[in-house]
Amino acid sequence: MPRTRQPAHRHVASVTRALTLLDVLADGQEFGTNEIARRTAINASTVSRLLATLAAGGIVEHVPSTGRYRLGMRLLQLGNAVLERLDLRDIARPHLEALVEATDETATLSLPGERFAVTIDFIQSPSSVQSIARVGRPSVAHATATGKVMLAFGEIELPTGRLESFTARTITDHQALAAEVERVRRRGFGQTIGEREEGLNAIAFPVWDDQARLAAIVGVQGPAPRFGSKAMRRAVGPLGEQAAAISRGLGWRRNEAVDR
Amino acid sequence: MPRTRQPAHRHVASVTRALTLLDVLADGQEFGTNEIARRTAINASTVSRLLATLAAGGIVEHVPSTGRYRLGMRLLQLGNAVLERLDLRDIARPHLEALVEATDETATLSLPGERFAVTIDFIQSPSSVQSIARVGRPSVAHATATGKVMLAFGEIELPTGRLESFTARTITDHQALAAEVERVRRRGFGQTIGEREEGLNAIAFPVWDDQARLAAIVGVQGPAPRFGSKAMRRAVGPLGEQAAAISRGLGWRRNEAVDR
DNA sequence: GCAGCTTATTGCCTCAGGGGCAATTGCATG
DNA sequence: CATGCAATTGCCCCTGAGGCAATAAGCTGC
């Protein structure tokens, strides 16, 4: 099996355009053809034809009653195919449970991505009614504990564009972010205090694969009144332990999986 | 808001091709460019460029170590965006729980699609170790209880192509299928006995929306030794009740949602 | 280590097919 | 009833997508 020529391809414009449509639809709302055309600056006739093509593949669906389009069922299937291969989840699950047991807060497992980390599993705190985690949800790099861990330990450079502000405490300055990432690196874990969402605090630890590269990120998050600095400090120990335990689990699994 | 011209569009070929690639990748395996090219009868250079385009959008990812491609994280996000809008799930959840409580078997909730139904939620039987349900999994129309309900009560015509055989009991004859569907219609629910999978039995009921159209399908399934004909007969009552309860729930919700 | 296989990617050329415009149809609104 | 906006489609032109062949990079067996 040959390898390793880095793809620096000519892209297929119509496919790129189709993906742009999905960007618009990704927030869960329904949109009309013209609405999408306006938001993407693609000609409405083109949008109409692209949507029809995507609809034929089940990627989007046409809602007859409104004449608008939304994401289709096929995406459920595809999304789940992705989930199925993440055996990482199976390994990590008991540790997430242990974490919730120990901290009484919501525990999350995320995978580092290109620009943000993606939640692939979580266990809700028994005390939280409202869901604050969701599979597939992106963790913004500069404003979440998970994201900071990704920046600190993943092999990626810091974001260069504008840093979106979510609350008054969000780090929006590149210098400050670099310093914070350095702190995370030294301290070994990431932390946010109301930077992504008012009153939401979190800490997150890296999970390493057998090559000592960032494989995943585990985090604990909770509402400020309950999960304040004291509770966070108490949670650091258990979280670090469980993160390490998952790393060890990955090691075994990897070794088993190596077949050559 | 204008409406209702039925799209009978010219499709965009490159996008269709891109979707074909996803078909191949959908089973969860990794594939190389040439491998995919062979399976889809698309030229390898085209496949290479399409994959690069999809990879740029996060729909697939390039695994550097093997040089192959697999489905990407973005699909998690998109799949979950679909799930988020299915408030049907929230309505149905307690009823699924009640069903598991009553029958001790796995309960599923599915949405009728074009050619098959899609599982959108389920609760595992406490007695089953092995998972026999999964979100996003398609229920074949002619070989599952859920699928039969879809054929019987959805506004779609029976499949015309070859009926794939999964076990010795799978209905593969169109006449026989028509008769079975008619029986489902009269009896009010669907049933399969080892037709989709050896030793797996199931029954399924329709859920109606306020327009008396098929909105969803609830089912109960279990292994033959435990969930035999007697157990199935016992399960019919509770299943029918819960299905009706969900239909009522939908009614309320719809009425609340109507804003014009 | 070399010869010969396979695989992935890219340059180049050509022409099919995709994009844009404008016309058409269908609703909605005043 | 007139006007306006949305969605789709016919048509034409030209771009950009696809195919071929060349190239690069492994991997396999000897």
Side-chain angles (χ1 to χ4, degrees), chain B residues 29-56:
Chain B
Q29 286 216 269
E30 289 180 17
F31 290 96
T33 305
N34 280 356
E35 181 67 19
I36 299 177
R38 249 176 277 116
R39 289 176 188 242
T40 56
I42 301 176
N43 188 292
S45 63
T46 304
V47 172
S48 180
R49 286 188 273 250
L50 286 173
L51 285 172
T53 309
L54 290 173

Side-chain angles (χ1 to χ4, degrees), chain A residues 2 5 7-10 14 17 43 45-46 49:
Chain A
R5 252 221 267 176
H9 261 310
R10 183 183 77 193
S14 14
R17 262 183 275 252
N43 188 292
S45 63
T46 304
R49 287 189 273 250

Side-chain angles (χ1 to χ4, degrees), chain A residues 1-84:
Chain A
M1 248 153 259
R3 309 289 163 75
T4 333
R5 252 221 267 176
Q6 213 48 355
H9 261 310
R10 183 183 77 193
H11 285 190
V12 180
S14 14
V15 175
T16 304
R17 262 183 275 252
L19 297 183
T20 309
L21 303 193
L22 291 185
D23 278 342
V24 174
L25 291 170
D27 74 12
Q29 286 216 271
E30 289 181 17
F31 290 95
T33 304
N34 280 356
E35 181 67 19
I36 299 177
R38 247 175 280 117
R39 289 175 187 242
T40 56
I42 301 176
N43 188 292
S45 63
T46 304
V47 171
S48 180
R49 287 189 273 250
L50 286 173
L51 285 172
T53 308
L54 291 173
I59 301 294
V60 305
E61 27 185 69
H62 187 234
V63 185
S65 61
T66 62
R68 296 195 280 199
Y69 290 86
R70 62 181 181 201
L71 296 179
M73 287 298 154
R74 182 113 236 271
L75 290 170
L76 273 186
Q77 228 175 309
L78 292 169
N80 246 77
V82 175
L83 272 185
E84 287 196 36

Side-chain angles (χ1 to χ4, degrees), chain B residues 1-3 5 10-14 32-34 38 45 48-49 62 69:
Chain B
M1 251 155 257
R3 309 286 163 77
R5 255 219 265 175
R10 184 183 78 192
H11 284 192
V12 180
S14 16
T33 305
N34 280 356
R38 249 176 277 116
S45 63
S48 180
R49 286 188 273 250
H62 187 236
Y69 289 86

Side-chain angles (χ1 to χ4, degrees), chain B residues 175-229:
Chain B
Q175 290 245 316
L177 180 61
E180 169 72 1
V181 165
E182 188 47 42
R183 186 156 0 119
V184 170
R185 215 172 269 137
R186 272 205 305 277
R187 194 172 47 185
F189 66 93
Q191 179 169 34
T192 40
I193 303 179
E195 294 167 40
R196 173 60 226 258
E197 205 171 306
E198 207 63 69
L200 181 66
N201 298 343
I203 54 177
F205 265 82
V207 172
W208 307 102
D209 69 12
D210 55 344
Q211 309 286 321
R213 296 160 62 101
L214 184 68
I217 301 148
V218 266
V220 170
Q221 58 184 196
R226 201 172 60 207
F227 195 55
S229 44

Side-chain angles (χ1 to χ4, degrees), chain A residues 168-208:
Chain A
R169 308 181 74 131
T170 306
I171 299 176
T172 54
D173 176 65
H174 287 90
Q175 289 246 317
L177 180 62
E180 169 72 1
V181 165
E182 188 47 42
R183 185 155 2 118
V184 170
R185 212 172 272 137
R186 271 205 306 275
R187 193 172 46 185
F189 66 93
Q191 180 169 32
T192 40
I193 302 181
E195 294 166 41
R196 173 62 225 259
E197 206 171 307
E198 208 60 70
L200 181 66
N201 298 343
I203 54 177
F205 265 81
V207 172
W208 308 101

